[in-house]
């Protein structure tokens, strides 16, 4: 059984300025027999994840970034989440801990953000901003020192403020509550929006200021993105359906359905009929290695179906393992078969593969219901 880092304890010490925050405590977690069984990770998955992590470490540059293509801040943030999701702790004296610490220091460099915006300097736009903000909320309280935790907290203040201001930009009714490529955009899409939603919810879980109506507006946008009309009570006309890239589109896709389902769960709507309908749709339309943006979709799919439980979780666990393990390279990394996704590089694909396989490790708070 794994020990889990007590982030809440650390956050309280950061707020109080206690020097004891430099020493990271651990707490044992004890659950039901079902929960304990869920902690068991097959040896083949452990081996694949270990090889993937080593492949990521080989990509780390002298400046601390972990990226083999452009969008270095966003891609490094994905790599940090991948390392963290399998238990790496910044500055713990191990190779992984030292690599994580250096990667965090790279992301926190003032040159990597404009005001509170992480998406301009590296060209990743609001995609990268959401990814980096989510990463920082997930590792808040888990830095290598009090100083690093305080700098993470300071960076998050501006990052979250930018997400909230971007959501408040005037938009058509069916686009309200979502986000698009730039902070000033007057339209929205689900792919960009889910990263902001997860960042806000994780920030709220950290005790940072996130107005309740920001989450409610996001939920309204998600309902508009469901591919069957939803009534005033949140009930869809066609129960088994999915999500689309933009509202008004009635053709669900694997990636967007998985993203929409996870976004609803992240907002606390685990029992929503949209979640149940999306899970059933995904059971009927399982992922394939040649899907467009396969790794991106698998990240959402593995998380969301795990949260849904039952047949959805069992099926997704099996398929995630089968699909990802058979395409891992001899060098330990992953690379996309999709031409568009391939352009993002092997750190991108490898990080998402590790995050997909690592759902069952239960280290990152965003994976916990």
């Amino acid at each position: 059984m794994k020990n889990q880092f007590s982030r809440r304890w650390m956050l309280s010490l950061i707020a109080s300025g206690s020097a004891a925050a430099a020493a990271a405590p651990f707490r044992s977690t004890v659950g039901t027999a079902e929960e304990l069984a869920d902690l068991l990770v097959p040896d083949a998955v452990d081996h694949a994840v270990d090889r993937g992590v080593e492949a990521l470490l080989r990509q780390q540059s002298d400046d601390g970034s972990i990226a083999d293509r452009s969008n270095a801040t966003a891609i490094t943030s994905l790599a940090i989440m991948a390392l963290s999701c399998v238990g790496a702790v910044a500055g713990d004296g191990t190779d992984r801990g030292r690599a994580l610490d250096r990667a965090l220091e790279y992301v926190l460099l003032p040159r990597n953000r404009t005001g509170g915006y992480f998406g301009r300097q590296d060209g990743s736009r609001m995609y990268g901003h959401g990814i980096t903000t989510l990463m920082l909320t997930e590792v808040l309280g888990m830095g290598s020192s009090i100083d690093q935790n305080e700098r993470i907290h300071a960076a998050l203040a501006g990052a979250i403020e930018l997400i909230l201001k971007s959501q408040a930009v005037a938009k058509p009714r069916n686009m309200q509550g979502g986000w698009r490529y730039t902070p000033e955009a007057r339209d929205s899409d689900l792919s960009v929006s889910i990263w902001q939603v997860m960042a806000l919810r994780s920030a709220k879980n950290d005790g940072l200021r996130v107005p309740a109506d920001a989450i409610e507006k996001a939920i309204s946008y998600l309902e508009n993105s469901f591919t069957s009309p939803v009534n005033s009570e949140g009930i869809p006309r066609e129960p088994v359906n999915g999500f689309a890239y933009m509202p008004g589109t009635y053709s669900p896709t694997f990636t967007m359905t998985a993203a929409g389902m996870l976004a609803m769960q992240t907002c606390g709507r685990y029992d929503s009929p949209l979640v149940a309908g999306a899970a059933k749709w995904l059971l009927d339309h399982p992922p394939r290695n040649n899907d467009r943006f396969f790794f991106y979709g698998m990240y959402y799919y593995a998380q969301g179906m795990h949260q849904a439980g039952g047949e959805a979780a069992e099926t997704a666990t099996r398929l995630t393992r089968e699909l990802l393990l058979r395409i891992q390279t001899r060098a330990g990394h992953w690379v996309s078969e999709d031409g568009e996704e391939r352009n993002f590089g092997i750190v991108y694909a490898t990080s998402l593969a590790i995050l997909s396989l690592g759902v069952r490790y239960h280290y990152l708070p965003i994976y916990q219901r």
Side-chain angles (χ1 to χ4, degrees):
M1 181 167 53
K2 301 182 186 296
N3 288 326
Q4 188 173 351
F5 188 80
S6 181
R7 187 170 68 147
R8 292 286 173 263
W9 184 90
M10 179 66 85
L11 290 173
S12 68
L13 291 182
I14 294 171
S16 66
S18 171
F26 289 84
R27 61 179 169 84
S28 276
T29 56
V30 179
T32 65
E34 182 180 356
E35 289 169 337
L36 293 177
D38 188 48
L39 290 174
L40 297 177
V41 180
D43 288 344
V45 173
D46 269 337
H47 182 58
V49 166
D50 282 341
R51 291 175 61 226
V53 167
E54 293 306 310
L56 287 182
L57 297 188
R58 290 195 296 271
Q59 295 293 330
Q60 188 161 39
S61 300
D62 291 341
D63 64 2
S65 63
I66 306 176
D68 58 317
R69 298 289 176 88
S70 57
N71 311 132
T73 304
I75 299 301
T76 299
S77 295
L78 279 180
I80 289 171
M81 286 197 288
L83 292 170
S84 297
C85 93
V86 296
V89 178
D92 66 356
T94 65
D95 288 345
R96 294 180 181 186
R98 285 189 289 269
L100 184 58
D101 186 29
R102 291 175 58 217
L104 275 171
E105 288 299 325
Y106 172 79
V107 171
L108 291 170
L109 288 172
R111 71 169 189 248
N112 287 330
R113 61 183 183 270
T114 305
Y117 186 27
F118 280 100
R120 179 166 294 147
Q121 176 64 28
D122 74 340
S124 61
R125 300 185 290 181
M126 285 299 287
Y127 269 115
H129 182 77
I131 290 168
T132 299
T133 305
L134 172 63
M135 180 277 290
L136 292 173
T137 62
E138 290 293 281
V139 302
L140 180 60
M142 298 170 69
S144 60
S145 65
I146 295 174
D147 174 69
Q148 189 177 76
N149 282 317
E150 288 177 343
R151 285 183 286 124
I152 292 171
H153 190 280
L156 278 172
I160 293 165
E161 181 181 3
L162 183 135
I163 291 174
L164 294 172
K165 285 184 176 179
S166 180
Q167 187 188 38
V169 171
K171 301 178 181 182
R173 182 180 296 275
N174 67 342
M175 298 285 183
Q176 292 174 6
W179 294 263
R180 189 68 159 143
Y181 295 133
T182 66
E184 305 82 13
R186 297 185 177 276
D187 57 354
S188 304
D189 75 63
L190 180 56
S191 187
V192 172
S193 294
I194 184 173
W195 291 105
Q196 322 309 318
V197 169
M198 289 196 294
L200 289 181
R201 182 52 190 258
S202 183
K204 189 175 181 68
N205 291 345
D206 284 344
L208 302 177
R209 191 192 74 81
V210 176
D213 70 333
I215 304 297
E216 291 302 315
K217 289 175 182 176
I219 291 171
S220 294
Y221 174 73
L222 295 171
E223 290 177 343
N224 285 331
S225 300
F226 199 68
T227 52
S228 176
V230 176
N231 66 20
S232 59
E233 297 178 350
I235 308 298
R237 182 185 301 165
E238 299 175 18
V240 179
N241 225 302
F243 288 84
Y245 179 65
M246 298 187 86
T249 305
Y250 298 103
S251 298
T253 65
F254 162 69
T255 299
M256 288 300 96
T257 297
M261 176 176 66
L262 178 60
M264 290 292 292
Q265 293 166 325
T266 300
C267 289
R269 301 300 176 93
Y270 298 102
D271 299 321
S272 165
L274 304 190
V275 170
K280 290 178 181 177
W281 189 92
L282 287 167
L283 286 172
D284 293 336
H285 301 82
R288 300 167 299 176
N289 286 125
N290 62 353
D291 281 332
R292 189 183 183 203
F293 293 108
F294 167 75
F295 287 96
Y296 191 55
M298 288 300 293
Y299 167 70
Y300 301 131
Y301 173 77
Q303 280 199 69
M305 295 291 268
H306 179 77
Q307 297 279 13
E311 182 185 3
E314 292 174 7
T315 301
T317 296
R318 175 178 56 82
L319 288 179
T320 299
R321 185 185 312 152
E322 290 176 1
L323 291 171
L324 289 174
L325 265 56
R326 76 186 183 199
I327 62 171
Q328 188 176 23
T329 68
R330 290 184 179 181
H333 64 263
W334 280 267
V335 61
S336 179
E337 297 178 10
D338 174 44
E340 293 176 87
E341 194 172 40
R342 182 184 288 267
N343 291 331
F344 294 112
I346 64 173
V347 172
Y348 159 89
T350 303
S351 296
L352 291 176
I354 292 171
L355 285 162
S356 300
L357 292 168
V359 169
R360 294 166 67 87
Y361 288 90
H362 296 278
Y363 278 108
L364 282 178
I366 198 70
Y367 289 137
Q368 301 163 18
R369 182 162 175 163

